[in-house]
Amino acid sequence: MPIVPSSSESVSHAAKLLSEGEVIAFPTETVYGLGGAINNSSAIEKIFSLKGRPSHNPLIVHVHSLGQIQDIAEIPHTKAFHQLSEFWPGPLTLVLPAKHSVIASVRAGLPTIAVRIPSHPVALSLLEEVDIPIAAPSANKSDRLSPTNASHVAEDFGDKLYILDGGACDCGIESTVISLIGPKPLILRPGVITAEMISKALSIPISEFEVQSASELKHSPGTGNKHYAPKTPLYFSDEVSSEEIDFSKSGRIYLSSGKSIEKEKSQFQVTKILSNKGDQAIIAHDLYTALREMDSLNLRSIVIDRPKPVGIGRALLDRLLRATQK
Ligand code: TXA
Ligand code: MG
């Protein structure tokens, strides 16, 4: 099936397909999602099989309103919940206790459910029209880079899928995931809603909700090691030298421009500067596209700067630490 430009007709058609138990791809402000209605177990099974996703990795459920969240989840820590829900619609996912009625495959058998209200206008109108919560992981094959435009989705799934085209995603990386299950909120996956923003919203220091140990992550199966990776081996620039890898057959991604780059650039087959001024939002917006483009060039390796762990940099570093896992 083709990539279809979003319009009121195509959104209605996509809503109809979803209500009939089909799986479709749609844009969100973070990355494209591979959606299926949560009341249809064969649609959920199809999502797992299309992606090649292990059945122990639960899905994020997308809704259009707080009312829909109350249909599928309990609300613990009500004060924190309301403070964080101020980020909706937007790139934030909350993990909450699931109502028993939610079919187990969506939540990979866990007693919890991840929910978010996306802000992309196409996603919101689709969710309003279908009016059933839609489970949607990122629309990529398992462990690969998330898609930030419609053609990325087609690269992974070809013509098997109805793909609603809503342009390039604003954020370019996946939503921030926060668990409200334990005694205190916990960031399971950093994102564009930064730890600094969450700290301000909750009036608590970052150290209180940052994950301190691997065991705190054990309930978020999708946060396993290798993930978000191009096929070409990816290295941080501070961990390889020209003796170890052949720069002339490699690509180099710079997060920002600078004087030292000019000398180094010529050693590489291909280079890309993501943001001259090192603007983190621009880097996030273009990171996966740059990695996909370099991945298509049959390079020996790709070398990238290590992001600084502040603001959106925490999310960039998180994704790149997984993508550089060998
Ligand atoms: O931005 C996004 O979140 C995108 C768009 C499409 O909304 N979706 C996305 O989904 O990134 P996915 O499936 O690629 O990532 C879901 C993440 C995984 O790390 C998964 O383990 C975690 O959310 N997750 C889902 N349900 C969970 C639960 N019940 N408890 C803990 N973690 C959960
Ligand atoms: Mg994903």
Side-chain angles (χ1 to χ4, degrees), residues 226-288:
K226 183 148 179 146
H227 218 83
Y228 311 108
K231 296 185 185 101
T232 315
L234 179 71
Y235 300 94
F236 284 122
S237 55
D238 58 14
E239 64 180 3
V240 284
S241 66
S242 54
E243 278 112 63
E244 288 160 298
I245 60 171
D246 185 351
F247 284 178
S248 71
K249 294 192 172 67
S250 300
R252 177 73 168 92
I253 299 176
Y254 297 98
L255 302 186
S256 59
S257 65
K259 280 198 190 121
S260 58
I261 292 177
E262 286 313 311
K263 257 200 282 165
E264 201 203 61
K265 252 169 108 176
S266 57
Q267 301 177 43
F268 288 91
Q269 182 174 327
V270 51
T271 62
K272 166 97 187 163
I273 297 171
L274 287 177
S275 161
N276 282 326
K277 292 189 176 148
D279 181 319
Q280 291 183 324
I282 297 175
I283 294 169
H285 183 272
D286 293 339
L287 177 66
Y288 290 161

Short mmCIF file of all heavy atoms in Angstrom, two decimals, residues 226-288:
data_model
loop_
_atom_site.label_atom_id
_atom_site.label_comp_id
_atom_site.label_asym_id
_atom_site.label_seq_id
_atom_site.Cartn_x
_atom_site.Cartn_y
_atom_site.Cartn_z
N LYS A 226 21.39 -3.21 23.04
CA LYS A 226 21.48 -2.73 21.66
C LYS A 226 20.10 -2.35 21.12
O LYS A 226 19.14 -3.08 21.26
CB LYS A 226 22.12 -3.78 20.77
CG LYS A 226 22.30 -3.27 19.36
CD LYS A 226 23.49 -3.84 18.66
CE LYS A 226 23.50 -3.25 17.27
NZ LYS A 226 24.82 -3.04 16.77
N HIS A 227 20.01 -1.20 20.49
CA HIS A 227 18.72 -0.64 20.11
C HIS A 227 19.00 0.56 19.23
O HIS A 227 20.10 1.09 19.23
CB HIS A 227 18.05 -0.16 21.41
CG HIS A 227 16.58 -0.41 21.44
ND1 HIS A 227 16.05 -1.61 21.80
CD2 HIS A 227 15.53 0.39 21.16
CE1 HIS A 227 14.74 -1.53 21.75
NE2 HIS A 227 14.39 -0.32 21.37
N TYR A 228 18.01 1.03 18.53
CA TYR A 228 18.11 2.29 17.79
C TYR A 228 19.37 2.34 16.92
O TYR A 228 20.04 3.37 16.83
CB TYR A 228 18.16 3.49 18.76
CG TYR A 228 17.10 3.49 19.83
CD1 TYR A 228 17.41 3.23 21.16
CD2 TYR A 228 15.77 3.77 19.51
CE1 TYR A 228 16.43 3.24 22.15
CE2 TYR A 228 14.79 3.77 20.49
CZ TYR A 228 15.13 3.52 21.80
OH TYR A 228 14.18 3.53 22.77
N ALA A 229 19.72 1.21 16.31
CA ALA A 229 21.05 1.13 15.70
C ALA A 229 21.00 1.09 14.17
O ALA A 229 20.16 0.42 13.59
CB ALA A 229 21.76 -0.12 16.21
N PRO A 230 21.95 1.79 13.52
CA PRO A 230 22.14 1.57 12.09
C PRO A 230 22.81 0.21 11.88
O PRO A 230 23.32 -0.38 12.84
CB PRO A 230 23.08 2.71 11.68
CG PRO A 230 23.82 3.07 12.92
CD PRO A 230 22.94 2.72 14.09
N LYS A 231 22.83 -0.28 10.62
CA LYS A 231 23.48 -1.59 10.37
C LYS A 231 25.00 -1.41 10.36
O LYS A 231 25.74 -2.30 10.74
CB LYS A 231 23.00 -2.16 9.04
CG LYS A 231 21.52 -2.48 9.05
CD LYS A 231 21.08 -3.18 7.75
CE LYS A 231 19.58 -3.37 7.72
NZ LYS A 231 18.87 -2.38 6.89
N THR A 232 25.45 -0.25 9.91
CA THR A 232 26.89 0.04 9.88
C THR A 232 27.39 0.25 11.32
O THR A 232 26.73 0.95 12.08
CB THR A 232 27.13 1.35 9.09
OG1 THR A 232 26.33 1.31 7.90
CG2 THR A 232 28.58 1.56 8.76
N PRO A 233 28.54 -0.36 11.68
CA PRO A 233 29.04 -0.14 13.05
C PRO A 233 29.22 1.34 13.35
O PRO A 233 29.76 2.09 12.54
CB PRO A 233 30.39 -0.87 13.04
CG PRO A 233 30.30 -1.85 11.92
CD PRO A 233 29.38 -1.25 10.89
N LEU A 234 28.74 1.74 14.53
CA LEU A 234 28.77 3.15 14.93
C LEU A 234 29.71 3.30 16.13
O LEU A 234 29.66 2.49 17.06
CB LEU A 234 27.35 3.59 15.30
CG LEU A 234 27.15 5.02 15.78
CD1 LEU A 234 27.32 6.01 14.62
CD2 LEU A 234 25.75 5.21 16.39
N TYR A 235 30.57 4.32 16.09
CA TYR A 235 31.52 4.56 17.18
C TYR A 235 31.45 6.01 17.63
O TYR A 235 31.20 6.91 16.82
CB TYR A 235 32.97 4.30 16.69
CG TYR A 235 33.21 2.90 16.20
CD1 TYR A 235 33.08 2.60 14.84
CD2 TYR A 235 33.58 1.89 17.08
CE1 TYR A 235 33.30 1.31 14.37
CE2 TYR A 235 33.81 0.60 16.62
CZ TYR A 235 33.67 0.32 15.27
OH TYR A 235 33.89 -0.96 14.81
N PHE A 236 31.76 6.25 18.91
CA PHE A 236 31.95 7.62 19.37
C PHE A 236 33.35 8.07 18.94
O PHE A 236 34.31 7.28 18.97
CB PHE A 236 31.85 7.70 20.89
CG PHE A 236 30.43 7.62 21.40
CD1 PHE A 236 30.04 6.62 22.29
CD2 PHE A 236 29.48 8.56 21.00
CE1 PHE A 236 28.74 6.56 22.76
CE2 PHE A 236 28.18 8.50 21.47
CZ PHE A 236 27.80 7.50 22.35
N SER A 237 33.46 9.35 18.58
CA SER A 237 34.75 9.86 18.10
C SER A 237 35.84 9.77 19.18
O SER A 237 37.02 9.67 18.85
CB SER A 237 34.60 11.32 17.65
OG SER A 237 34.05 12.08 18.69
N ASP A 238 35.44 9.75 20.46
CA ASP A 238 36.47 9.69 21.50
C ASP A 238 36.90 8.25 21.81
O ASP A 238 37.69 8.02 22.71
CB ASP A 238 35.99 10.40 22.77
CG ASP A 238 34.69 9.81 23.33
OD1 ASP A 238 34.30 8.70 22.91
OD2 ASP A 238 34.06 10.45 24.19
N GLU A 239 36.36 7.26 21.07
CA GLU A 239 36.75 5.87 21.35
C GLU A 239 37.47 5.19 20.18
O GLU A 239 37.84 4.03 20.29
CB GLU A 239 35.55 5.03 21.82
CG GLU A 239 34.47 4.87 20.75
CD GLU A 239 33.27 4.03 21.19
OE1 GLU A 239 33.21 3.61 22.36
OE2 GLU A 239 32.38 3.83 20.34
N VAL A 240 37.64 5.88 19.06
CA VAL A 240 38.37 5.27 17.93
C VAL A 240 39.41 6.22 17.35
O VAL A 240 39.26 7.44 17.44
CB VAL A 240 37.42 4.85 16.77
CG1 VAL A 240 36.66 3.60 17.10
CG2 VAL A 240 36.52 5.99 16.34
N SER A 241 40.44 5.63 16.75
CA SER A 241 41.46 6.45 16.09
C SER A 241 41.59 5.97 14.64
O SER A 241 41.05 4.92 14.28
CB SER A 241 42.80 6.27 16.80
OG SER A 241 43.21 4.93 16.62
N SER A 242 42.34 6.72 13.82
CA SER A 242 42.50 6.34 12.41
C SER A 242 43.34 5.06 12.29
O SER A 242 43.35 4.43 11.23
CB SER A 242 43.14 7.48 11.63
OG SER A 242 44.32 7.85 12.27
N GLU A 243 44.04 4.65 13.37
CA GLU A 243 44.75 3.36 13.31
C GLU A 243 43.76 2.19 13.40
O GLU A 243 43.97 1.14 12.82
CB GLU A 243 45.77 3.23 14.45
CG GLU A 243 47.09 3.91 14.18
CD GLU A 243 47.32 5.11 15.09
OE1 GLU A 243 47.39 4.90 16.30
OE2 GLU A 243 47.38 6.23 14.55
N GLU A 244 42.69 2.41 14.14
CA GLU A 244 41.73 1.32 14.36
C GLU A 244 40.73 1.15 13.22
O GLU A 244 40.37 0.05 12.86
CB GLU A 244 40.97 1.55 15.67
CG GLU A 244 41.83 1.33 16.89
CD GLU A 244 41.23 2.02 18.11
OE1 GLU A 244 41.10 3.26 18.10
OE2 GLU A 244 40.89 1.30 19.05
N ILE A 245 40.26 2.27 12.68
CA ILE A 245 39.32 2.16 11.56
C ILE A 245 39.76 3.06 10.42
O ILE A 245 40.44 4.07 10.63
CB ILE A 245 37.86 2.48 11.97
CG1 ILE A 245 37.76 3.90 12.51
CG2 ILE A 245 37.29 1.48 12.95
CD1 ILE A 245 36.33 4.33 12.70
N ASP A 246 39.38 2.64 9.20
CA ASP A 246 39.79 3.36 8.01
C ASP A 246 38.84 4.55 7.79
O ASP A 246 37.73 4.39 7.28
CB ASP A 246 39.74 2.38 6.83
CG ASP A 246 40.28 3.00 5.57
OD1 ASP A 246 40.53 4.23 5.57
OD2 ASP A 246 40.45 2.26 4.57
N PHE A 247 39.30 5.75 8.19
CA PHE A 247 38.44 6.93 8.07
C PHE A 247 38.02 7.19 6.62
O PHE A 247 36.93 7.67 6.36
CB PHE A 247 39.16 8.18 8.62
CG PHE A 247 39.21 8.26 10.13
CD1 PHE A 247 39.87 9.32 10.76
CD2 PHE A 247 38.60 7.30 10.93
CE1 PHE A 247 39.91 9.41 12.14
CE2 PHE A 247 38.64 7.38 12.31
CZ PHE A 247 39.29 8.44 12.93
N SER A 248 38.91 6.83 5.67
CA SER A 248 38.59 7.16 4.27
C SER A 248 37.43 6.34 3.73
O SER A 248 36.88 6.65 2.68
CB SER A 248 39.83 6.95 3.39
OG SER A 248 40.08 5.57 3.28
N LYS A 249 37.05 5.29 4.48
CA LYS A 249 35.87 4.51 4.06
C LYS A 249 34.75 4.65 5.10
O LYS A 249 33.86 3.81 5.18
CB LYS A 249 36.26 3.03 3.90
CG LYS A 249 37.24 2.82 2.74
CD LYS A 249 37.38 1.34 2.40
CE LYS A 249 38.17 1.11 1.14
NZ LYS A 249 39.60 1.49 1.31
N SER A 250 34.84 5.71 5.90
CA SER A 250 33.87 5.90 6.99
C SER A 250 33.16 7.24 6.86
O SER A 250 33.63 8.15 6.18
CB SER A 250 34.59 5.85 8.34
OG SER A 250 35.22 4.61 8.51
N GLY A 251 32.02 7.31 7.56
CA GLY A 251 31.27 8.57 7.63
C GLY A 251 31.50 9.22 8.99
O GLY A 251 31.80 8.54 9.97
N ARG A 252 31.38 10.54 9.02
CA ARG A 252 31.59 11.26 10.29
C ARG A 252 30.42 12.22 10.50
O ARG A 252 30.12 13.06 9.64
CB ARG A 252 32.92 12.03 10.19
CG ARG A 252 33.26 12.89 11.40
CD ARG A 252 33.68 12.02 12.58
NE ARG A 252 34.28 12.82 13.66
CZ ARG A 252 33.60 13.34 14.69
NH1 ARG A 252 32.30 13.14 14.79
NH2 ARG A 252 34.23 14.03 15.62
N ILE A 253 29.74 12.05 11.64
CA ILE A 253 28.65 12.96 11.98
C ILE A 253 29.11 13.86 13.12
O ILE A 253 29.52 13.37 14.18
CB ILE A 253 27.38 12.18 12.38
CG1 ILE A 253 26.90 11.31 11.22
CG2 ILE A 253 26.27 13.14 12.82
CD1 ILE A 253 25.70 10.42 11.53
N TYR A 254 29.09 15.16 12.87
CA TYR A 254 29.43 16.15 13.90
C TYR A 254 28.13 16.71 14.46
O TYR A 254 27.20 17.01 13.70
CB TYR A 254 30.25 17.29 13.31
CG TYR A 254 31.59 16.85 12.76
CD1 TYR A 254 31.77 16.61 11.39
CD2 TYR A 254 32.68 16.68 13.61
CE1 TYR A 254 33.00 16.21 10.89
CE2 TYR A 254 33.92 16.27 13.11
CZ TYR A 254 34.07 16.04 11.75
OH TYR A 254 35.27 15.64 11.25
N LEU A 255 28.07 16.85 15.78
CA LEU A 255 26.87 17.44 16.37
C LEU A 255 26.84 18.94 16.13
O LEU A 255 25.79 19.54 15.96
CB LEU A 255 26.79 17.14 17.87
CG LEU A 255 26.79 15.65 18.26
CD1 LEU A 255 26.55 15.50 19.76
CD2 LEU A 255 25.73 14.86 17.48
N SER A 256 28.04 19.57 16.11
CA SER A 256 28.11 21.01 15.87
C SER A 256 29.37 21.31 15.07
O SER A 256 30.22 20.43 14.89
CB SER A 256 28.15 21.76 17.20
OG SER A 256 29.28 21.33 17.94
N SER A 257 29.50 22.55 14.58
CA SER A 257 30.70 22.87 13.80
C SER A 257 31.75 23.48 14.73
O SER A 257 31.46 23.83 15.87
CB SER A 257 30.36 23.83 12.66
OG SER A 257 29.92 25.05 13.21
N GLY A 258 32.97 23.58 14.26
CA GLY A 258 34.05 24.14 15.10
C GLY A 258 35.33 24.15 14.29
O GLY A 258 35.41 23.49 13.25
N LYS A 259 36.32 24.89 14.79
CA LYS A 259 37.56 25.05 14.02
C LYS A 259 38.27 23.72 13.76
O LYS A 259 38.74 23.46 12.67
CB LYS A 259 38.50 26.00 14.76
CG LYS A 259 38.15 27.45 14.55
CD LYS A 259 39.33 28.35 14.92
CE LYS A 259 38.86 29.80 14.94
NZ LYS A 259 39.03 30.46 16.22
N SER A 260 38.31 22.86 14.79
CA SER A 260 39.08 21.62 14.66
C SER A 260 38.49 20.69 13.58
O SER A 260 39.20 19.85 13.03
CB SER A 260 39.09 20.89 15.99
OG SER A 260 37.75 20.64 16.38
N ILE A 261 37.23 20.89 13.28
CA ILE A 261 36.57 20.01 12.32
C ILE A 261 37.18 20.13 10.93
O ILE A 261 37.37 19.15 10.23
CB ILE A 261 35.06 20.33 12.26
CG1 ILE A 261 34.41 19.95 13.59
CG2 ILE A 261 34.39 19.63 11.10
CD1 ILE A 261 32.95 20.30 13.66
N GLU A 262 37.49 21.36 10.54
CA GLU A 262 37.95 21.61 9.18
C GLU A 262 39.11 20.70 8.79
O GLU A 262 39.13 20.12 7.71
CB GLU A 262 38.31 23.08 8.98
CG GLU A 262 37.08 23.98 8.90
CD GLU A 262 35.99 23.44 7.96
OE1 GLU A 262 36.31 23.07 6.82
OE2 GLU A 262 34.81 23.38 8.40
N LYS A 263 40.08 20.54 9.71
CA LYS A 263 41.24 19.70 9.43
C LYS A 263 40.85 18.23 9.31
O LYS A 263 41.29 17.51 8.44
CB LYS A 263 42.28 19.84 10.55
CG LYS A 263 43.46 20.73 10.15
CD LYS A 263 44.66 20.45 11.05
CE LYS A 263 44.42 21.16 12.37
NZ LYS A 263 45.21 20.83 13.48
N GLU A 264 39.98 17.80 10.24
CA GLU A 264 39.66 16.37 10.35
C GLU A 264 38.73 15.88 9.23
O GLU A 264 38.87 14.77 8.74
CB GLU A 264 38.98 16.13 11.71
CG GLU A 264 39.05 14.68 12.15
CD GLU A 264 37.97 14.32 13.15
OE1 GLU A 264 36.77 14.42 12.80
OE2 GLU A 264 38.33 13.91 14.25
N LYS A 265 37.82 16.78 8.82
CA LYS A 265 36.77 16.41 7.87
C LYS A 265 37.27 15.68 6.62
O LYS A 265 36.68 14.71 6.18
CB LYS A 265 36.07 17.69 7.39
CG LYS A 265 34.69 17.89 7.93
CD LYS A 265 34.23 19.31 7.60
CE LYS A 265 33.16 19.31 6.53
NZ LYS A 265 32.66 20.69 6.29
N SER A 266 38.41 16.19 6.09
CA SER A 266 38.89 15.68 4.80
C SER A 266 39.34 14.22 4.88
O SER A 266 39.47 13.55 3.86
CB SER A 266 40.05 16.55 4.31
OG SER A 266 41.04 16.53 5.32
N GLN A 267 39.56 13.71 6.11
CA GLN A 267 39.99 12.30 6.23
C GLN A 267 38.85 11.32 5.96
O GLN A 267 39.08 10.15 5.72
CB GLN A 267 40.51 12.03 7.64
CG GLN A 267 41.67 12.89 8.07
CD GLN A 267 42.04 12.58 9.51
OE1 GLN A 267 42.08 11.44 9.93
NE2 GLN A 267 42.27 13.63 10.28
N PHE A 268 37.61 11.80 6.07
CA PHE A 268 36.46 10.90 5.97
C PHE A 268 35.87 10.89 4.56
O PHE A 268 35.96 11.87 3.83
CB PHE A 268 35.37 11.32 6.97
CG PHE A 268 35.75 11.01 8.39
CD1 PHE A 268 36.42 11.94 9.18
CD2 PHE A 268 35.45 9.77 8.94
CE1 PHE A 268 36.79 11.65 10.47
CE2 PHE A 268 35.81 9.47 10.24
CZ PHE A 268 36.48 10.40 11.01
N GLN A 269 35.22 9.77 4.23
CA GLN A 269 34.57 9.67 2.91
C GLN A 269 33.40 10.65 2.81
O GLN A 269 33.16 11.27 1.78
CB GLN A 269 34.06 8.23 2.69
CG GLN A 269 33.42 8.04 1.33
CD GLN A 269 33.06 6.58 1.08
OE1 GLN A 269 33.76 5.67 1.53
NE2 GLN A 269 31.98 6.33 0.37
N VAL A 270 32.66 10.77 3.92
CA VAL A 270 31.48 11.64 3.91
C VAL A 270 31.29 12.22 5.31
O VAL A 270 31.57 11.54 6.31
CB VAL A 270 30.23 10.88 3.40
CG1 VAL A 270 30.04 9.58 4.14
CG2 VAL A 270 28.96 11.70 3.50
N THR A 271 30.87 13.49 5.37
CA THR A 271 30.65 14.11 6.68
C THR A 271 29.33 14.85 6.71
O THR A 271 28.78 15.21 5.66
CB THR A 271 31.77 15.13 7.02
OG1 THR A 271 31.74 16.17 6.05
CG2 THR A 271 33.14 14.48 7.06
N LYS A 272 28.83 15.05 7.93
CA LYS A 272 27.56 15.78 8.09
C LYS A 272 27.63 16.54 9.41
O LYS A 272 28.02 15.96 10.44
CB LYS A 272 26.43 14.74 8.11
CG LYS A 272 25.11 15.24 8.60
CD LYS A 272 24.23 15.60 7.42
CE LYS A 272 22.95 16.27 7.89
NZ LYS A 272 22.26 16.99 6.83
N ILE A 273 27.30 17.83 9.38
CA ILE A 273 27.21 18.61 10.63
C ILE A 273 25.73 18.76 10.94
O ILE A 273 24.96 19.25 10.11
CB ILE A 273 27.87 20.00 10.47
CG1 ILE A 273 29.37 19.84 10.17
CG2 ILE A 273 27.66 20.84 11.73
CD1 ILE A 273 30.07 21.12 9.80
N LEU A 274 25.30 18.30 12.13
CA LEU A 274 23.86 18.31 12.41
C LEU A 274 23.34 19.71 12.73
O LEU A 274 22.25 20.08 12.31
CB LEU A 274 23.53 17.34 13.56
CG LEU A 274 23.62 15.86 13.16
CD1 LEU A 274 23.36 14.96 14.35
CD2 LEU A 274 22.64 15.53 12.04
N SER A 275 24.10 20.48 13.50
CA SER A 275 23.66 21.85 13.79
C SER A 275 24.91 22.71 13.99
O SER A 275 25.69 22.45 14.91
CB SER A 275 22.81 21.87 15.06
OG SER A 275 22.75 23.18 15.58
N ASN A 276 25.09 23.73 13.16
CA ASN A 276 26.29 24.56 13.28
C ASN A 276 26.48 25.05 14.71
O ASN A 276 27.57 25.05 15.24
CB ASN A 276 26.21 25.75 12.32
CG ASN A 276 26.55 25.32 10.91
OD1 ASN A 276 27.39 24.43 10.72
ND2 ASN A 276 25.87 25.89 9.93
N LYS A 277 25.37 25.47 15.32
CA LYS A 277 25.47 26.05 16.67
C LYS A 277 25.30 25.00 17.77
O LYS A 277 25.24 25.34 18.95
CB LYS A 277 24.42 27.14 16.83
CG LYS A 277 24.71 28.33 15.94
CD LYS A 277 23.79 29.48 16.27
CE LYS A 277 24.17 30.70 15.44
NZ LYS A 277 23.04 31.53 15.09
N GLY A 278 25.17 23.74 17.40
CA GLY A 278 25.02 22.69 18.41
C GLY A 278 23.67 22.74 19.11
O GLY A 278 23.54 22.30 20.25
N ASP A 279 22.63 23.24 18.41
CA ASP A 279 21.29 23.30 19.00
C ASP A 279 20.74 21.87 19.18
O ASP A 279 20.56 21.14 18.21
CB ASP A 279 20.40 24.12 18.05
CG ASP A 279 18.98 24.28 18.55
OD1 ASP A 279 18.42 23.30 19.08
OD2 ASP A 279 18.44 25.39 18.41
N GLN A 280 20.49 21.49 20.44
CA GLN A 280 20.12 20.09 20.72
C GLN A 280 18.81 19.67 20.06
O GLN A 280 18.65 18.51 19.67
CB GLN A 280 20.01 19.88 22.23
CG GLN A 280 21.34 19.95 22.95
CD GLN A 280 21.18 19.67 24.43
OE1 GLN A 280 20.18 20.06 25.03
NE2 GLN A 280 22.14 18.99 25.01
N ALA A 281 17.86 20.60 19.96
CA ALA A 281 16.57 20.24 19.35
C ALA A 281 16.77 19.94 17.86
O ALA A 281 16.15 19.01 17.31
CB ALA A 281 15.55 21.35 19.55
N ILE A 282 17.64 20.71 17.21
CA ILE A 282 17.91 20.47 15.78
C ILE A 282 18.68 19.15 15.62
O ILE A 282 18.39 18.36 14.71
CB ILE A 282 18.70 21.66 15.17
CG1 ILE A 282 17.84 22.93 15.25
CG2 ILE A 282 19.12 21.35 13.73
CD1 ILE A 282 18.56 24.19 14.78
N ILE A 283 19.62 18.89 16.53
CA ILE A 283 20.38 17.63 16.47
C ILE A 283 19.41 16.45 16.59
O ILE A 283 19.45 15.50 15.80
CB ILE A 283 21.45 17.58 17.58
CG1 ILE A 283 22.51 18.67 17.33
CG2 ILE A 283 22.10 16.20 17.65
CD1 ILE A 283 23.46 18.89 18.50
N ALA A 284 18.48 16.52 17.56
CA ALA A 284 17.51 15.43 17.75
C ALA A 284 16.64 15.27 16.51
O ALA A 284 16.38 14.16 16.04
CB ALA A 284 16.64 15.71 18.97
N HIS A 285 16.21 16.39 15.95
CA HIS A 285 15.33 16.37 14.78
C HIS A 285 15.97 15.62 13.61
O HIS A 285 15.29 14.89 12.88
CB HIS A 285 15.01 17.82 14.39
CG HIS A 285 14.06 17.98 13.26
ND1 HIS A 285 14.46 18.01 11.94
CD2 HIS A 285 12.71 18.10 13.23
CE1 HIS A 285 13.40 18.14 11.16
NE2 HIS A 285 12.32 18.20 11.91
N ASP A 286 17.29 15.80 13.43
CA ASP A 286 17.95 15.27 12.23
C ASP A 286 18.82 14.04 12.46
O ASP A 286 19.35 13.48 11.50
CB ASP A 286 18.82 16.37 11.60
CG ASP A 286 17.97 17.50 11.04
OD1 ASP A 286 16.78 17.26 10.78
OD2 ASP A 286 18.48 18.62 10.88
N LEU A 287 18.97 13.62 13.73
CA LEU A 287 19.92 12.54 14.04
C LEU A 287 19.62 11.24 13.28
O LEU A 287 20.49 10.68 12.61
CB LEU A 287 19.91 12.27 15.55
CG LEU A 287 20.80 11.12 16.01
CD1 LEU A 287 22.27 11.47 15.79
CD2 LEU A 287 20.55 10.79 17.49
N TYR A 288 18.38 10.74 13.37
CA TYR A 288 18.08 9.43 12.76
C TYR A 288 18.13 9.50 11.24
O TYR A 288 18.54 8.54 10.59
CB TYR A 288 16.71 8.92 13.23
CG TYR A 288 16.65 8.50 14.69
CD1 TYR A 288 15.43 8.39 15.34
CD2 TYR A 288 17.80 8.19 15.40
CE1 TYR A 288 15.35 7.99 16.67
CE2 TYR A 288 17.74 7.80 16.73
CZ TYR A 288 16.51 7.69 17.37
OH TYR A 288 16.44 7.30 18.67
#
